[in-house]
Amino acid sequence: MSKKALLIIPPERFNEDELFQPKEVLENAEVAVTIASTKTGEITGDYQGKALAEVIFSEVSASDYDAIAVIGGSGTNDHLWGNQELQSFLKQAHEQKVLVTGICAGSVTVAKTGLLSGRKAACYPVDVQIDELKANSAEYVKQHVVAHGDIITGDGPDGAKEFGESLAAALR
């Protein structure tokens, strides 16, 4: 049985590198990837790239996946940071031993669940994200990827491929 990953993007303005690079690495590792959002259909990224959200994350079971990744982009701050349904979904996934991950602003989404409390985490190196990590009791570290056994965070576009490689390695 092959591994499955759910990549959650905001309903607008996702970061193309943070979605497409990890997606390619995962697919090359024979991980089945599903893109989810708060709506289905075509979604436009920060740089006009297009992605197709196949499912609404709240309409699937977290336990059907081996990993869940919250992808960053300017829309993540606006649409996913305060999404209580997403926070509950991520906490439930973690309780069910699903690998919970986030890159860039997606790391902040994970931090807002409380799952990174007292742990090191990476995010894009801007004050608004670093401050949000700290406000949620996570310790910001300036590196591309921080991998715990159950949670992985990445810093952004520069570390997107390494983030994908870390996910693929964790799913082996």
Side-chain angles (χ1 to χ4, degrees):
M1 185 172 132
S2 74
K3 300 285 186 173
K4 297 188 335 188
L6 186 69
L7 307 185
I8 301 173
I9 60 174
E12 62 179 356
R13 302 186 329 271
F14 66 91
N15 181 280
E16 288 86 343
D17 287 339
E18 295 167 14
L19 174 64
F20 298 135
Q21 289 184 35
K23 180 178 184 286
E24 180 180 3
V25 170
L26 288 168
E27 288 174 342
N28 288 341
E30 300 182 2
V31 175
V33 174
T34 302
I35 297 175
S37 188
T38 56
K39 67 176 188 177
T40 57
E42 187 175 84
I43 296 179
T44 303
D46 281 327
Y47 303 100
Q48 304 309 307
K50 306 285 186 200
L52 183 65
E54 304 163 65
V55 298
I56 296 172
F57 76 84
S58 59
E59 294 178 358
V60 297
S61 174
S63 62
D64 287 345
Y65 298 90
D66 301 289
I68 295 173
V70 182
I71 305 301
S74 62
T76 299
N77 305 36
D78 297 337
H79 299 284
L80 301 182
W81 278 10
N83 187 316
Q84 295 297 315
E85 201 168 23
L86 179 55
Q87 290 176 24
S88 295
F89 184 80
L90 294 173
K91 284 191 252 188
Q92 178 186 33
H94 187 258
E95 287 167 10
Q96 295 171 342
K97 306 295 185 222
V98 175
L99 179 66
V100 174
T101 72
I103 183 167
C104 191
S107 297
V108 173
T109 306
V110 174
K112 286 179 171 285
T113 65
L115 295 174
L116 287 170
S117 182
R119 298 170 117 181
K120 293 181 168 129
C123 67
Y124 197 70
V126 293
D127 287 347
V128 66
Q129 290 188 28
I130 294 168
D131 291 347
E132 285 292 333
L133 283 185
K134 291 177 181 173
N136 287 280
S137 303
E139 179 189 340
Y140 168 73
V141 290
K142 188 179 170 101
Q143 57 193 64
H144 287 317
V145 175
V146 176
H148 300 281
D150 56 345
I151 298 178
I152 298 172
T153 54
D155 66 350
D158 292 345
K161 185 171 187 226
E162 188 179 331
F163 176 75
E165 291 166 349
S166 183
L167 268 65
L171 294 176
R172 281 193 194 106

